[in-house]
Amino acid sequence: MERPGLITQLGMARSFIKDVYVARAKTEYGARVLRAPVARAITWPGRLDPYPYFDQVRDQAPLSPSPREPNVHLSATHDVCKHILKSREFGVGGRTIVGKDEVEFSMSLLEMDPPEHTRLRRVAAPAFTPRRLTAYGTTIEKTVHERLDAVPPGASFDLIRQLAGPLPIRIISELIGVPEADDGLFLRWGTALGSALEGVHSLRHAQQVLSAKLGLDAMFERLVQERRADPRDDMLSMLVAEEGGAVRPEEILPLCTLLLVAGFETTVNLIGNAVLALMRNPDQWELLAGDPATYAPRVVEETLRYDPPIQFTDRVALQDSTIGGYDVPAGDRVLCILAGANRDPARFARPNFFDITRTDNSDHLAFSGGVHYCVGAPLARLEAEVALQVLAERMPTLHFAAKPKRRNSVTIRGLRSLPVTAGA
Ligand code: HEM
């Protein structure tokens, strides 16, 4: 059976987009696809603000058939998405990535179901214990200060390029055990691989992705050799120590690659989306600037609910399943619109307001749920909290310097640039 692609609708998103172009032919089928809320949410200009379309999906029904693909169902309802993510009747069923035949790579944990998933997840989890987090905290704070020291007083700067991008790459490098000297290469390769999450759109792009993958594999192989001879206190050394036991040798590179892409492409957008929401809601920025230590964690949690960096995921029914009277036959896929579930008025009061004083947002699905619940969640929260706290302490008068630019992606939601200034 053909397996679905990575963090969900890569394939779906691309075929929706293709369909929208085909729909220009104004066939009856095309017209139906064009009107479909999810198609609007992932194409321009709907993509700028996809949330009203997710509301439409939810208003239609808690679960509904995809208007485009047979054997696919959609949900933007909190209860339903949460249920599916936690249910043992659903799994990921061996996802692989990436579009074009030329480039295909394993997504490690994300494509594994229990018991294999449980085995490998146990190996990754110790990298995120509270003891480890305290150690990363020191590097996070140092990096944030260094990045802000480099901004001349009163100058405008791109928050993504100057702070939100470099911070996670430094931290994930430290976690995995990549030397600081290789940060630049790591960033370039990580960005190329991350861009493939949306699907490969041209032969040139496929070549870039492939060469990034080969480059990364070679780097990790070199580092694995080094750690075999000289273990340190990092993920690579942990994996080498478990090699042949809990970890198969061929699982090491995919796990490191997943950590790189998952740890980098998401956290950059959590910080970016948080600052964007704060700049658009100056009263909320005032609150943060008035008491950064108290409000930084609240900003992070509210951003995860209000504008999550990963908008969708999917699951496959491992057996015939019925949810609230709606049948999902074995083998069918459900697209869980995490970003839509986070705006479900049945779960969150005034869901379309960005409100850092709210207390009802802890049950958001930004980090998914069930066995695949984001293993890096505590680290992502810590990075974003420190970044926002230090930013608000050092630049309390921060405001937009120019219009932000959105990145051209669908599953991953974030900005390409966010020009800001603390000056006049
Ligand atoms: C704001 C930041 C982040 C967001 C929004 C995020 C979101 C997610 C989501 C939605 C999933 C589950 C996908 C699914 O259920 O199909 C996931 C899984 C994962 N994330 Fe994160 N993530 C973030 C940061 C990180 C960081 C910093 C790391 C590592 C350093 C990380 C590593 C992982 C890994 C390894 C998995 C796979 C877990 C598994 O399958 O058991 N993530 N993340």
Side-chain angles (χ1 to χ4, degrees):
M1 187 181 89
E2 201 191 320
R3 298 300 192 179
L6 164 74
I7 295 188
T8 241
Q9 36 55 294
L10 314 168
M12 272 183 82
R14 296 183 71 218
S15 31
F16 264 119
I17 292 166
K18 204 171 100 210
D19 270 355
V20 171
Y21 287 116
V22 171
R24 306 251 183 270
K26 291 216 162 78
T27 60
E28 194 188 317
Y29 168 71
R32 183 158 57 88
V33 169
L34 251 184
R35 281 198 306 270
V38 172
R40 290 186 175 202
I42 64 177
T43 49
W44 299 107
R47 200 190 275 188
L48 286 173
D49 180 13
Y51 295 98
Y53 303 108
F54 299 153
D55 288 343
Q56 286 178 26
V57 172
R58 190 184 326 102
D59 289 346
Q60 264 167 23
L63 248 176
S64 50
S66 160
R68 160 166 203 290
E69 282 195 305
N71 311 110
V72 176
H73 314 264
L74 312 173
S75 179
T77 298
H78 186 273
D79 271 4
V80 172
C81 290
K82 192 172 169 180
H83 171 85
I84 289 172
L85 294 170
K86 292 194 151 186
S87 167
R88 288 300 174 105
E89 293 180 5
F90 289 84
V92 292
R95 298 157 158 167
T96 45
I97 183 155
V98 151
K100 288 234 159 164
D101 300 344
E102 299 91 324
V103 197
E104 192 159 285
F105 56 90
S106 149
M107 285 311 287
S108 183
L109 288 170
L110 281 175
E111 63 178 50
M112 296 163 80
D113 283 319
E116 291 291 271
H117 172 268
T118 322
R119 170 182 57 80
L120 195 58
R121 172 118 180 176
R122 280 204 190 113
V123 178
F128 302 95
T129 57
R131 182 183 70 82
R132 291 265 168 182
L133 286 187
T134 313
Y136 304 137
T138 315
T139 314
I140 295 171
E141 229 178 299
K142 181 168 158 269
T143 309
V144 173
H145 278 291
E146 276 170 14
R147 301 305 304 182
L148 294 181
D149 287 345
V151 177
S156 53
F157 63 100
D158 178 1
L159 186 106
I160 305 295
R161 182 189 281 259
Q162 190 57 34
L163 179 64
L167 175 65
I169 206 79
R170 177 81 292 275
I171 304 308
I172 197 69
S173 301
E174 178 171 317
L175 184 147
I176 297 176
V178 176
E180 196 162 353
D182 290 326
D183 265 13
L185 272 176
F186 207 42
L187 175 65
R188 186 143 57 83
W189 289 333
T191 308
L193 284 190
S195 73
L197 294 182
E198 300 287 335
V200 177
H201 50 69
S202 67
L203 202 56
R204 190 157 168 263
H205 187 204
Q207 279 159 353
Q208 282 168 357
V209 174
L210 185 61
S211 85
K213 181 180 154 20
L214 294 175
L216 260 185
D217 281 357
M219 176 194 278
F220 285 140
E221 261 158 27
R222 169 170 63 80
L223 292 170
V224 163
Q225 300 293 351
E226 284 177 22
R227 292 304 187 279
R228 278 202 190 108
D230 179 18
R232 297 193 196 160
D233 192 18
D234 55 31
M235 187 80 185
L236 276 164
S237 306
M238 259 159 55
L239 293 174
V240 165
E242 300 273 358
E243 206 178 356
V247 185
R248 302 199 183 107
E250 68 275 16
E251 289 173 336
I252 293 183
L253 267 45
L255 181 57
C256 290
T257 307
L258 170 62
L259 284 169
L260 166 63
V261 176
F264 159 60
E265 280 289 359
T266 49
T267 312
V268 49
N269 297 314
L270 175 56
I271 299 170
N273 294 359
V275 176
L276 176 68
L278 290 164
M279 297 295 99
R280 283 183 171 165
N281 295 276
D283 58 323
Q284 304 292 299
W285 172 262
E286 293 285 304
L287 271 179
L288 173 67
D291 187 354
T294 301
Y295 283 105
R298 296 182 177 210
V299 171
V300 171
E301 230 41 44
E302 179 62 346
T303 305
L304 286 162
R305 183 197 70 82
Y306 177 80
D307 201 16
I310 304 264
Q311 300 257 295
F312 313 92
T313 190
D314 72 348
R315 291 294 184 269
V316 180
L318 302 174
Q319 60 187 75
D320 289 346
S321 193
T322 303
I323 298 160
Y326 185 100
D327 291 331
V328 183
D332 276 18
R333 255 193 313 152
V334 182
L335 178 69
C336 298
I337 307 177
L338 305 173
N342 284 358
R343 300 277 188 115
D344 186 341
R347 185 65 195 80
F348 307 103
R350 300 165 72 236
N352 295 321
F353 286 85
F354 179 74
D355 176 3
I356 64 173
T357 65
R358 72 164 71 232
T359 50
D360 68 350
N361 55 8
S362 59
D363 198 22
H364 63 71
L365 299 181
F367 289 126
S368 185
V371 297
H372 292 278
Y373 181 86
C374 177
V375 75
L379 179 63
R381 284 192 169 108
L382 182 65
E383 286 181 42
E385 282 169 23
V386 174
L388 289 163
Q389 182 179 333
V390 174
L391 186 68
E393 280 166 359
R394 293 187 52 167
M395 300 185 174
T397 57
L398 199 75
H399 54 276
F400 282 128
K403 223 174 149 222
K405 289 201 177 74
R406 194 154 280 289
R407 38 184 293 172
N408 193 17
S409 55
V410 171
T411 306
I412 296 177
R413 180 166 170 83
L415 297 174
R416 184 180 311 164
S417 67
L418 176 49
V420 287
T421 177

